[in-house]
Each structure stands twice: as C-alpha cells, then as structure tokens.
Amino acid sequence: MLGPPLVLSTTRTGAAPRLGVTVWLALIGSVLLAWAGGAMLFVAQLADSWDHVGQVLVGCVAGLRLIVLGGYGRGLQAGLVALAALSVVALAMLGVRVVVALCRARRHTRAHALTALIAAGESPRGPGGALVIDSAQPAVYCLASRPHTIVVTRAALEALGDHQLHAVMAHEQAHLRGRHHQLLAFTGALSKILPNLRLFTDGATDIARLLEMCADDAAARRHSRDNRGPTR
C-alpha cells in the first residue's frame, strides 16, 4: 500500500530508469514471495501441529481462547483445513492465470510477426534486417518472436535521416536484448488479473515508461545526442 506512491515519487524524473525498474521488480517480487511463503508456512504449520492444533491457535490468536476452552471439535479442524486449501488454491489460480496471460500474449506476438512478414512481402529489408511495410503512418517497433523482428514503415524511412534511423533501430534492439517484452508481459498480466492493487497497476505502467528510457539511454550511448540529422 505504501510502496507505489513512494517509488513513483522517486522515479518521476527518470534519472536512473534501470534502478527504478529494479526497485519496482523487487517490490512486486517481495509481495508475491510473501504471499506464497505465508501460504506454505500456514499449511506446513497446520500439518505439523495437527495433533495439538488448539495450542497453536491459542498461541497465535489470543482472542480465540474463549473458544478453545471448551475444546476443539472436528468442525474447527475442518475449517482450518478448508482455509489452508483455499489459500493454496488462490495462489495456484493466480499462477495459472498469469501463465495463461503470458501464453496468450506470446501467441499474439507471433501472429503479429507473421502478419508483418506477409505484409512486407518481397520488399527489401531495412537496416539491421528490419521488415519494411508500406504504410503512411511513421512507425518503428519490435516483436519478440522467433526470430526477433523489427518492423519499420516506409513512411518512417522517408521521415528519418540515416543517423536518426540507426538511433531508432538501436532503441528497438535494446528492447530485444534486454528482454523487456518479458517484463512487460509479466507485469501487464499481474495488473490485469489484480486491477485493484496499485502495486501491480502503477508498477506495470511505470515499468513500461522506465524501460523506454532504458532503451533511449542505450541508443544514446551508441549515437551522439548532438548529431541528430534532419528532423521529421
């Protein structure tokens, strides 16, 4: 609850985007691990203390003392088992939904790459083997398929100078080398599955912004900021 506003306030300027992404992933990962660890510890403690589950409850929740003074019946034990089972099932469902979302995103990316390949037809490849598509909309983007694909429209080729085009290609290549698509797919899946938790929704949005800055920095290291060539 407290983490997202604090992290957003420190990453707003984008001064250290890679560090910002690391902080977000550490925060998200720690929460997921805490959930999984809590469920596993609860189940393990319940199994280990099955014969004296009453003493465990008395030690953990003092407010239940009035209930346990009368002894425990099978109903309470069954309730604890059901609670443990629900915890495990909830985490399992979360994991399954994340995997399904990742698989769906992967299939969509592959289909998009195939469509781009068909649209490019016999057109000569662009810089770095990029697919060139006839379109009036200037655009350059990457697709993490097999093999990785960078798509550039003919309008973008006409609008960008040589130096600008190579800088844009370096930006897209940085996305592919850094496997940014995997991070975006994972955080995006969490934000859709748990849309009411700011940790995942704000985290997914800010990580996407910071990854763009990381790719910008990688391109800027390879191409001078001052030699910009003609503008659009």
Side-chain angles (χ1 to χ4, degrees), residues 35 42 46 61 75 98 111 119 123 131 136 155 175 184 207-208:
W35 288 355
F42 180 68
L46 180 62
V61 186
V98 170
S123 299
L131 292 177
H175 279 313
L184 292 175
I207 286 175

Side-chain angles (χ1 to χ4, degrees), residues 126-127 138 140 152-170 223-224 227-232:
V140 182
V152 55
T153 63
R154 198 164 298 281
L157 292 177
E158 296 173 355
L160 298 174
D162 290 341
H163 181 80
Q164 291 175 322
L165 181 60
H166 284 89
V168 172
M169 294 295 295
H223 300 273
S224 170
N227 185 17
R228 299 181 182 182
T231 59
R232 289 189 183 184

